[in-house]
Amino acid sequence: MSARIIPAAKFRLGQIVATPNALLHLTQDDINQGIKRHLSGDWGDIGDEDRQENELSLKEGFRLLSVYHANNGTKFWIITEADRSHTTVLLPEDY
């Protein structure tokens, strides 16, 4: 049996919430995997400018945005607020 390496958390998530639309189109596994990636600083499918903004946001305490795709191809976002009070899983059209 191989050991799974769990990356260290780079920030606090606060309360995790999801929009009804996200819950309708994403599996729990999609959400869990996205949260793990987001928490470790793997920002997913964002451009270089947004990636740099997230790295600055880690240092300065600004909002963090990640973009992922579920196993069924659905694009979803994970946003952690600047004060780290909560993290929201949502679809782009929910914004």
Side-chain angles (χ1 to χ4, degrees):
M1 175 159 77
S2 64
R4 286 180 47 182
I5 297 173
I6 299 172
K10 294 198 172 210
F11 55 93
R12 290 181 307 107
L13 292 172
Q15 181 181 10
I16 301 170
V17 297
T19 63
N21 196 32
L23 293 173
L24 183 65
H25 291 91
L26 304 172
T27 68
Q28 189 63 51
D29 188 54
D30 292 326
I31 293 170
N32 289 342
Q33 291 303 314
I35 291 289
K36 286 178 190 175
R37 290 177 65 188
H38 181 71
L39 191 56
S40 72
D42 171 356
W43 312 121
D45 302 323
I46 63 173
D48 288 338
E49 187 174 317
D50 287 330
R51 192 171 311 283
Q52 290 172 4
E53 183 67 28
N54 275 353
E55 294 302 323
L56 175 66
S57 295
L58 278 176
K59 296 175 190 162
E60 301 295 329
F62 303 136
R63 187 175 76 161
L64 298 163
L65 166 70
S66 293
V67 178
Y68 305 109
H69 288 86
N71 286 330
N72 65 8
T74 301
K75 183 178 188 175
F76 68 101
W77 295 352
I78 299 179
I79 298 173
T80 299
E81 295 303 324
D83 65 1
R84 308 301 187 249
S85 62
H86 66 278
T87 296
T88 305
V89 178
L90 68 159
L91 302 189
E93 58 266 26
D94 300 334
Y95 190 74

